[in-house]
Amino acid sequence: MKKILYISLLALVCGIFSCTSDYETVPVEQFTEDLVFSRTDSIGSKAKEFLNAIYSTMPNGINRVGGDYLDAATDDAISSSLGQTDVDNLAAGNFTSMTRIATDMTWGTNYSAIRRVNIFIRGIDRVPLKFTFNDNQPMNRAWKAEAKFIRALHYFELIKRYGGVPVVGNEVMDLEDDIELPRKSFSECVEYIVGELDAIKDSLRVIPIPNAQADAHVVTKGAALALKSRVLLYAASPLFNGGNIASGNEFTGYTDNSQDRWKRAADAARDFISTQTGYSLQPNFVDAFITDGSPEVIFFRQGGRNKDLEKAHAPIGYATPNDSRGRTSPSQNLVEAFPMLDGKAITDATSAYTYSVADQYANRDPRLNYTVFHDGSRWLNTTVQTYVGGKDNPNAAIQKTKTSYYMRKFMGRFEDTDDYQDTRHNWIMFRYAEILLNFAEAENEFGGPTNEVYQVLTQLRARAGIQAGTNNLYGLTAGMSKDQMREAIHTERRIEMAFEEQRYWDIRRWKTAQAVYSQPVRGLQIVQVGGTKNYNTITVRSTTFNEARYLYPIPYSEVVKNGNMVQNPGW
């Protein structure tokens, strides 16, 4: 029976294939596998187009959740939108198994992508590709490995949301097939993902990629090892490793606790650090996000050179063509997490700097100014004004900051220019800083604050511009306990990875979300009277969190149609 590839949208079809008269005999919504995986296509042009479409199924975190960053559903930010948004509903838990939030509860989207990968794997070996890469490996093998990486990524996106899920292997399920598959245990899913990554890593390209202009975005061995590091870190974390929300439930986590899982996660990160020598920290933090070919970037969703991010998130008080929608309002909670310039917390009396609410942005970790705009920031050759009635926080009832802050991260260097210029805006899925943080966390949990843990944290802090101090520990102290180091690592991860879709999942896997959401998200109301500014803390969101929300509910439609599907606890 001739297999048909079903693609429902004409726009998608035209994006994958050139809509020319060559294909008029085939209905626009259907393409045969024989056409895509042609035995006479020695350069694999149609197969490569199909693979590119598979690449497009990966999540792109820029404005991903209904126009907002996922971090706006945490204590790090809120949406500036005047209406109720998807991130507001995620933060408040306004969802059920039947009324889901489609922009993040992506069960069907992930399985649709997995099916595309399986179609590609089934057909690609028919294509007689004539070219090779790395040590004369056939391109079929590399493309298949790239597709399997994307499939592994989609399974990870599923298990961090739902726990154990059905695993279909290489099967392509058709309408007439029995698709009442049971869920695999969380452990089985982790082993499947890690096993896939181990199997494909040596079939992937390595940096430097010969044709970087065309292929910089492709899956590499480094990407496979980075995903493995993240998967094993999540698997070792309290939510799944001993903090199972339903004791003995093999779908919602491991049924036991094992410190060896932390060791496995530490070893995976150490393996990356020791073997992937082409990666390092970008010397300047802000440049890591806007520099083509940055040594820090491991894998990314390719974006264009444009002004879109600035137009969506920068302060609003500028005339066309520099007008913006100011969509994200970072929180005072996040701002206060950044340490002083010597690396000490703002509450630490031993800091060389005195923290003052009236001058709270002075002598701080330089990453603060690269992450948020605050009152007094410099932008487009002028000063940002987020006090009440200021140009970036006018009295008019329009979309504007709700916290006296705007998001700065990912934007170009426009502090001292008059206009925005086109800037590279890729979504960086994995970068070297995360690998260092993964290692520090897992190593500390397994063996305590070893010298290696100190080394990676001081490396990150030195790059940030924090002062070394007389002990060269960049604000850390000698002889820290495991608990003290854990707190330092969690804070470092929060500020280093802000707005990179880490915080939302971190507070879940650490099983601290109940404590985090029990505290209000705070902003500032800055009132200027004459030459004096008064800083008043305000609550911008209050929520609660129940244990069931550590995992999303399996869609009700899946439970109804699949007699073998077990719902998550509490839903």
Side-chain angles (χ1 to χ4, degrees):
M1 174 178 163
K2 184 178 290 186
K3 297 292 183 182
I4 305 294
L5 310 186
Y6 289 92
I7 304 172
S8 60
L9 299 177
L10 177 58
L12 177 60
V13 172
C14 292
I16 298 173
F17 300 100
S18 299
C19 289
T20 67
S21 59
D22 292 344
Y23 307 120
E24 286 179 356
T25 57
V26 182
V28 294
E29 76 281 3
Q30 301 176 19
F31 289 94
T32 67
E33 289 191 43
D34 287 342
L35 177 64
V36 176
F37 305 110
S38 171
R39 299 181 188 277
T40 62
D41 185 4
S42 62
I43 62 172
S45 59
K46 302 301 179 294
K48 180 62 181 294
E49 289 167 346
F50 193 78
L51 179 59
N52 286 343
I54 292 172
Y55 268 90
S56 73
T57 67
M58 293 185 296
N60 185 334
I62 299 175
N63 309 329
R64 182 181 67 80
V65 185
D68 290 295
Y69 280 83
L70 180 61
D71 290 54
T74 75
D75 56 339
D76 280 356
I78 65 171
S79 175
S80 305
S81 174
L82 296 178
Q84 189 79 357
T85 66
D86 282 357
V87 291
D88 293 331
N89 288 321
L90 282 176
N94 293 335
F95 52 82
T96 68
S97 63
M98 290 183 284
T99 56
R100 298 176 297 116
I101 300 169
T103 49
D104 196 63
M105 304 171 86
T106 51
W107 178 281
T109 302
N110 284 294
Y111 274 111
S112 175
I114 288 167
R115 186 177 191 277
R116 290 192 190 192
V117 171
N118 289 352
I119 290 171
F120 184 83
I121 290 170
R122 181 169 70 183
I124 187 58
D125 285 337
R126 299 184 216 159
V127 182
L129 297 178
K130 300 297 185 183
F131 53 99
T132 62
F133 81 110
N134 296 352
D135 300 323
N136 293 318
Q137 290 193 64
M139 210 61 191
N140 305 62
R141 181 178 175 184
W143 284 359
K144 189 183 295 185
E146 290 171 32
K148 287 186 175 182
F149 168 90
I150 297 171
R151 182 174 66 185
L153 178 67
H154 282 293
Y155 274 116
F156 175 64
E157 292 296 323
L158 285 164
I159 69 169
K160 75 182 184 184
R161 288 169 168 81
Y162 301 101
V165 296
V167 175
V168 300
N170 291 332
E171 288 189 66
V172 179
M173 297 295 184
D174 294 312
L175 292 176
E176 66 272 17
D177 293 336
D178 178 10
I179 56 174
E180 291 195 21
L181 297 175
R183 297 174 67 177
K184 294 288 187 182
S185 70
F186 178 80
S187 176
E188 288 173 316
C189 290
V190 169
E191 295 311 312
Y192 173 77
I193 294 169
V194 171
E196 287 280 283
L197 295 171
D198 283 340
I200 65 173
K201 66 181 188 296
D202 292 325
S203 297
L204 294 165
R205 281 170 271 194
V206 297
I207 61 168
I209 294 173
N211 188 8
Q213 185 172 356
D215 296 328
H217 68 288
V218 303
V219 177
T220 61
K221 182 176 182 178
L225 294 179
L227 177 55
K228 178 181 176 180
S229 171
R230 190 183 290 179
V231 170
L232 290 176
L233 182 77
Y234 275 57
S237 298
L239 176 60
F240 300 112
N241 184 19
N244 196 325
I245 61 173
S247 179
N249 186 326
E250 64 179 1
F251 304 128
T252 56
Y254 295 104
T255 56
D256 66 334
N257 170 261
S258 173
Q259 283 294 100
D260 286 341
R261 294 187 184 112
W262 284 117
K263 181 179 187 303
R264 192 180 181 193
D267 288 345
R270 181 186 284 108
D271 180 47
F272 187 104
I273 294 167
S274 62
T275 65
Q276 301 305 294
T277 55
Y279 300 100
S280 62
L281 293 177
Q282 180 80 23
N284 190 298
F285 176 76
V286 69
D287 290 337
F289 307 99
I290 59 175
T291 303
D292 286 330
S294 168
E296 185 162 346
V297 176
I298 300 168
F299 187 57
F300 61 92
R301 275 292 308 272
Q302 190 167 28
R305 293 186 63 84
N306 53 52
K307 308 173 187 69
D308 293 353
L309 200 146
E310 289 79 10
K311 299 281 281 186
H313 296 281
I316 66 171
Y318 299 87
T320 305
N322 301 315
D323 53 316
S324 175
R325 299 184 296 280
R327 179 71 185 222
T328 300
S329 296
S331 67
Q332 184 69 16
N333 312 54
L334 174 62
V335 169
E336 291 176 359
F338 287 85
M340 303 302 291
L341 187 57
D342 61 358
K344 302 287 188 179
I346 63 173
T347 56
D348 191 335
T350 68
S351 174
Y353 300 96
T354 301
Y355 175 80
S356 166
V357 172
D359 195 20
Q360 59 184 284
Y361 312 119
N363 300 312
R364 299 290 294 278
D365 180 337
R367 286 173 294 188
L368 174 59
N369 284 328
Y370 290 143
T371 303
V372 304
F373 291 107
H374 56 76
D375 189 65
S377 291
R378 185 167 179 79
W379 194 241
L380 293 177
N381 265 331
T382 188
T383 300
V384 174
Q385 300 174 349
T386 62
Y387 58 83
V388 175
K391 68 179 178 61
D392 300 297
N393 188 12
N395 292 319
I398 59 174
Q399 182 171 293
K400 59 185 178 182
T401 178
K402 296 178 179 178
T403 61
S404 293
Y405 299 107
Y406 290 100
M407 188 186 77
R408 161 68 177 86
K409 199 169 185 178
F410 313 124
M411 298 183 192
R413 289 179 174 273
F414 300 120
E415 284 78 5
D416 300 309
T417 64
D418 292 326
D419 298 290
Y420 296 133
Q421 304 297 322
D422 286 345
T423 302
R424 175 67 68 192
H425 292 309
N426 296 323
W427 174 248
I428 299 173
M429 301 177 70
F430 298 96
R431 61 185 178 98
Y432 189 65
E434 181 194 345
I435 303 298
L436 295 178
L437 287 163
N438 292 353
F439 173 77
E441 181 179 344
E443 180 74 0
N444 182 63
E445 294 298 336
F446 179 71
T450 63
N451 287 337
E452 288 180 297
V453 174
Y454 274 95
Q455 287 168 8
V456 296
L457 280 187
T458 56
Q459 186 179 352
L460 282 166
R461 290 180 162 214
R463 189 275 292 273
I466 289 175
Q467 295 170 341
T470 57
N471 59 4
N472 288 316
L473 290 180
Y474 297 86
L476 302 174
T477 57
M480 295 171 71
S481 68
K482 178 188 286 190
D483 290 346
Q484 290 171 327
M485 183 59 80
R486 178 188 301 123
E487 183 178 354
I489 292 167
H490 285 192
T491 298
E492 192 71 22
R493 189 176 184 97
R494 179 183 188 180
I495 61 182
E496 173 72 27
M497 307 300 294
F499 300 107
E500 297 182 52
E501 292 209 351
Q502 299 275 347
R503 179 72 174 169
Y504 184 85
W505 303 112
D506 283 343
I507 60 177
R508 284 160 172 76
R509 67 180 180 85
W510 293 332
K511 216 175 180 190
T512 59
Q514 285 171 293
V516 168
Y517 283 107
S518 71
Q519 299 299 313
V521 180
R522 294 174 288 115
L524 286 184
Q525 183 184 65
I526 307 172
V527 180
Q528 181 167 289
V529 181
T532 301
K533 290 179 180 176
N534 298 311
Y535 295 80
N536 305 309
T537 302
I538 59 173
T539 295
V540 294
R541 183 170 65 211
S542 294
T543 58
T544 58
F545 190 93
N546 62 62
E547 193 170 55
R549 285 171 54 196
Y550 276 113
L551 294 175
Y552 286 164
I554 306 293
Y556 177 75
S557 58
E558 296 295 325
V559 176
V560 168
K561 70 186 180 185
N562 182 353
N564 293 317
M565 184 63 67
V566 178
Q567 181 60 276
N568 276 331
W571 298 104

